[in-house]
Amino acid sequence: NIKNLRDKDINVESAKKEKIELYKDKKGEWRWKRIATNGNNVGASSEGYVKKSDCLDNAQRQFVECEILEEED
């Protein structure tokens, strides 16, 4: 069974303070990582993306409540 966790009460205000950072990895592919309010990395993409726009789309679908920061091309 799969449960939709969005049905649970979440602290949206706290989540809004977390950030998503887009960056290029050693292979030159785009990835995202989620950064908690204490500065710790608490999540990361499981794959790299050739196009930054694909990475951004993936991050936006998953983390609508977070600010997204981008590394310059």
Side-chain angles (χ1 to χ4, degrees):
N1 291 339
I2 298 173
K3 183 176 182 180
N4 181 354
L5 297 180
R6 295 242 187 231
D7 290 340
K8 289 187 173 184
D9 290 334
I10 59 169
N11 187 339
V12 174
E13 291 306 311
S14 177
K16 285 181 181 178
K17 294 175 185 173
E18 294 184 353
K19 305 208 182 312
I20 301 297
E21 181 180 317
L22 303 184
Y23 66 96
K24 276 191 173 179
D25 64 15
K26 292 179 183 179
K27 292 173 54 179
E29 295 181 331
W30 288 96
R31 292 181 175 268
W32 57 260
K33 61 183 172 181
R34 186 170 182 157
I35 304 168
T37 55
N38 64 5
N40 290 339
N41 293 338
V42 293
S45 57
S46 59
E47 64 178 293
Y49 298 87
V50 174
K51 294 166 46 176
K52 180 170 46 169
S53 61
D54 291 338
C55 183
L56 178 59
D57 288 345
N58 180 268
Q60 288 177 325
R61 277 193 306 275
Q62 296 186 57
F63 306 109
V64 295
E65 74 281 0
C66 296
E67 178 181 2
I68 298 180
L69 309 173
E70 299 180 63
E71 179 181 273
E72 296 294 322
D73 285 329

